[in-house]
Amino acid sequence: MDTARLNRPHAAGIGLLSVGVALAAGHLFAGFTDPGASPYLAVGNTAIDLAPPWLKDFAVSTFGTKDKPVLLAGMAVVIAIFGAVAGLVSARRPLPGSILLGVLGVLGVLAVLKRPDLGQLAPLVPAASLVAGVLTFTWLHGKALDAAREAGYEAARHLPDRPDRYLAGERPAGERPASERPASERPAGERPAGERPADPARRGLLVAAGATVAGAGVAALTGQLLGNRVDVQASRRAVGTIRPAVAAAAIPPGADFAAAGTPSFITPNEAFYRIDTALVVPRVRAESWSMRVHGMVDRELRLRYDDLRNRELVERTVTLTCVSNEVGGPYISTANFVGVPLRAVLDEAGVQAGADQLVSRSVDGWSCGSPTEVMLDADRAMLALAMNGEPLPAEHGFPVRLVTAGLYGYVSATKWLADLELSTFDAFTPYWAKRGWARRAPIKTMSRIDRPGAFQRVPAGRTVIAGVAWAQHRGIEAVEVRLDRGQWREATLATEVNLDTWRMWRLDVDVAKGGHTVEVRATDKIGYTQTDKRADPVPDGATGWHSVSFSAT
Ligand SMILES: Nc1nc2c(c(=O)[nH]1)N[C@H]1C(S)=C(S)[C@@H](COP(=O)(O)O)O[C@H]1N2
Ligand SMILES: [Mo]
């Protein structure tokens, strides 16, 4: 009977290598067909879509915008463990491990089938992964078994009486280690460390493992290069500078109190907050972009990039805000956007009566539902092409996105726009609404303290409290600050830019030595003052006063 067993490192190692090959093969095939079908990414994307809302909220609140790298790294660890386990359960026969790898492959196929944005060929990609992984595993397993038989034979030949001691690494008393004995005294096959091995099966295993690593590397790299052939940066350069017919008013110097600790009025593109469900930034070239306007319209439209670019372009300064921003949170930024008022396009299509929801979809299958009446407001909704003087950055939706003043991003700001459908709230439930968020979500009147920072130490005496307030499309009327639960005092507001942007504020206060708490509340131009009632971001945006504790020394 053949009793050869793989040792644990070999078993775990060939399992790991096999999942590596599976992923690399998938990446290669995905490069040929659809980069999004790479099993690793597809599984990650599906994990994001299937994750229960509490888990997503936890991920965002714990890792912020680093949630995606954390997810990818976590998946790598899980897959590695899976691979090692597949090897370890296959000490004698390759079947158990192959079955485990097959299960992983089937999960990959299901993940790809669940992606709304992938073509019909996409499921072939994880299928190819599965085949490559299992074949590699069976092949390496054979090599590893040969090596195990060889080792067992060697051990048995030299110490038939106590093979267990050899396996435990012991030497019989009085016997010197191989390296200390001249070659003439050594039995054939025994060698000191560092000399050429005379065990062909073990060598065969090592060569096979090396070849596997090299092959997987080449496959993964080739897949990556193929996947990168959609060169977004080249397309952005080719687009060049997009000039509006009507420029936005210049930002007055008094629009922020940056010197006192507020953000700059305009957020540089690199610093603009980013929130989306895309594990890898979708790559779309302006040259190949087009969008359908359909549904409850009189005339269906198909618009290409130049159709938009050649229209009369407007520029607007708008503050975007994410509904998942906690009280005091960072998911708010302001930019100059250039684009086409959405109204112009919707009028051309002819919106039919009763179409109360405009559904927008992105190239990666994300969906968004906006109230049609807001999207028909020429002053509020635009098809944006440029941001702060350059074509939209890839992360912010190149080549075309929606920007709508006064609504949270998830109901108004679709990036990598692919499709506009006039519909009804009854007929279609978009991505986040399916996950418990509100159907309609105007941005709430809120404020934030930026200085002092939490638990900061400031010198006792005169100190500045400064921050931002926002109530897009209504405008900020007043901001009040109170120290240590004292009287509310009105802060100085920065110069107003427009009603769709944030407004900076500051207040000088005198603080005695010791601990202090400062709170802020804003009032908008329709007279609503922020409630102190704390509410979570779910379902339609957080409420409550931001407060900061600091100490004066
Ligand atoms: N395609 C796509 N567009 C999207 C999202 C998304 O997940 N996918 N997220 C939305 C959300 S929740 C917000 S707050 C804004 C953020 O835009 P930004 O990343 O440019 O700041 O984009 C919106 N547009
Ligand atoms: Mo958002």
Side-chain angles (χ1 to χ4, degrees):
M1 192 181 95
D2 184 2
T3 56
R5 283 179 70 92
L6 309 197
N7 65 34
R8 281 160 183 263
H10 282 178
I14 66 168
L16 264 176
L17 281 176
S18 304
V19 288
V21 165
L23 291 181
H27 210 58
L28 175 64
F29 272 80
F32 281 111
T33 56
D34 194 333
S38 182
Y40 191 43
L41 298 175
V43 169
N45 277 318
T46 303
I48 291 179
D49 290 353
L50 293 182
W54 61 264
L55 184 57
K56 268 194 225 194
D57 299 341
F58 165 80
V60 170
S61 61
T62 313
F63 306 115
T65 39
K66 298 266 180 311
D67 56 341
K68 294 183 186 91
V70 168
L71 172 69
L72 285 175
M75 278 171 50
V77 171
V78 171
I79 290 173
I81 292 175
F82 202 97
V85 169
L88 289 171
V89 299
S90 286
R92 286 178 201 282
R93 290 173 309 130
L95 190 62
S98 300
I99 291 175
L100 272 190
L101 292 175
V103 168
L104 194 62
V106 169
L107 284 181
V109 174
L110 290 178
V112 165
L113 285 174
K114 270 210 144 281
R115 300 295 314 155
D117 53 322
L118 298 177
Q120 288 175 322
L121 288 180
L124 291 178
V125 172
S129 270
L130 193 164
V131 172
V134 171
L135 286 181
T136 305
F137 186 70
T138 333
W139 179 61
L140 287 176
H141 195 275
K143 301 264 176 202
L145 267 187
D146 288 347
R149 283 189 199 105
E150 181 180 76
Y153 171 71
E154 288 279 305
R157 191 152 65 96
H158 298 308
L159 256 193
D161 50 335
R162 295 295 308 277
D164 54 318
R165 288 205 303 184
Y166 254 48
L167 294 178
E170 278 179 38
R171 264 189 312 279
E175 192 177 301
R176 284 176 297 161
S179 55
E180 290 167 21
R181 278 174 281 151
S184 56
E185 280 182 32
R186 292 200 304 258
E190 193 178 299
R191 68 191 187 294
E195 242 176 57
R196 261 179 80 77
D199 35 12
R202 187 164 175 278
R203 260 202 298 171
L205 174 63
L206 287 180
V207 169
T212 306
V213 170
V218 169
L221 211 70
T222 311
Q224 189 65 28
L225 291 176
L226 287 169
N228 285 355
R229 69 188 164 221
V230 178
D231 190 342
V232 175
Q233 295 316 325
S235 179
R236 289 180 76 237
R237 283 192 297 276
V239 161
T241 308
I242 299 173
R243 281 182 226 293
V246 196
I251 307 298
D256 64 38
F257 294 128
T262 71
S264 58
F265 191 86
I266 295 291
T267 316
N269 286 349
E270 313 74 57
F272 204 98
Y273 84 89
R274 176 189 164 200
I275 297 281
D276 53 63
T277 60
L279 203 44
V280 281
V281 175
R283 300 160 169 277
V284 189
R285 290 170 56 89
E287 297 85 338
S288 53
W289 181 87
S290 78
M291 173 185 74
R292 206 154 72 97
V293 185
H294 62 114
M296 296 168 70
V297 294
D298 297 335
R299 285 164 298 280
E300 215 175 285
L301 303 180
R302 163 77 62 184
L303 296 169
R304 304 179 59 80
Y305 190 77
D306 282 339
D307 298 333
L308 292 181
R309 193 181 177 159
N310 295 332
R311 284 169 187 253
E312 178 149 308
L313 301 178
V314 298
E315 184 177 36
R316 298 223 181 97
T317 313
V318 182
T319 298
L320 298 189
T321 309
C322 184
V323 68
S324 58
N325 201 38
E326 307 271 354
V327 173
Y331 302 140
I332 175 162
S333 301
T334 301
N336 285 311
F337 292 98
V338 173
V340 177
L342 183 60
R343 171 90 202 212
V345 167
L346 293 183
D347 277 352
E348 211 170 292
V351 175
Q352 292 175 354
D356 60 358
Q357 179 176 234
L358 174 69
V359 174
S360 50
R361 294 183 178 85
S362 60
V363 297
D364 59 336
W366 185 81
S367 59
C368 168
S370 321
T372 307
E373 88 261 11
V374 175
M375 305 315 270
L376 278 172
D377 185 338
D379 295 329
R380 291 183 71 172
M382 75 194 289
L383 292 159
L385 310 178
M387 179 176 179
N388 290 335
E390 48 176 307
L392 289 174
E395 306 78 53
H396 295 289
F398 184 81
V400 182
R401 76 174 299 174
L402 285 174
V403 167
T404 309
L407 302 183
Y408 285 119
Y410 82 106
V411 290
S412 75
T414 305
K415 305 191 274 188
W416 314 289
L417 188 62
D419 185 277
L420 289 179
E421 182 187 2
L422 274 302
S423 177
T424 64
F425 278 101
D426 285 342
F428 182 78
T429 309
Y431 189 94
W432 283 114
K434 281 198 194 109
R435 292 159 174 81
W437 295 79
R439 304 300 301 268
R440 293 171 188 264
I443 298 173
K444 294 181 177 175
T445 301
M446 291 293 284
S447 51
R448 180 182 81 195
I449 299 161
D450 289 308
R451 179 170 297 175
F455 309 114
Q456 196 182 321
R457 288 167 184 281
V458 302
R462 182 130 285 215
T463 194
V464 58
I465 314 285
V468 300
W470 60 93
Q472 286 95 315
H473 213 62
R474 298 181 297 280
I476 288 293
E477 177 67 24
V479 170
E480 294 164 288
V481 175
R482 70 174 182 181
L483 191 64
D484 303 327
R485 309 260 155 141
Q487 288 292 309
W488 286 103
R489 291 175 56 191
E490 204 156 312
T492 304
L493 296 181
T495 309
E496 183 167 83
V497 171
N498 66 49
L499 300 185
D500 297 329
T501 53
W502 55 14
R503 192 126 184 230
M504 312 295 175
W505 55 267
R506 62 172 291 164
L507 181 70
D508 290 325
V509 295
D510 288 311
V511 289
K513 276 200 167 103
H516 298 280
T517 301
V518 61
E519 293 163 290
V520 66
R521 67 178 189 196
T523 300
D524 63 28
K525 292 201 166 174
I526 34 177
Y528 171 81
T529 299
Q530 258 181 272
T531 169
D532 66 333
K533 242 185 100 187
R534 280 269 176 163
D536 282 341
V538 188
D540 62 357
T543 62
W545 299 334
H546 187 208
S547 83
V548 166
S549 297
F550 66 99
S551 62
T553 51

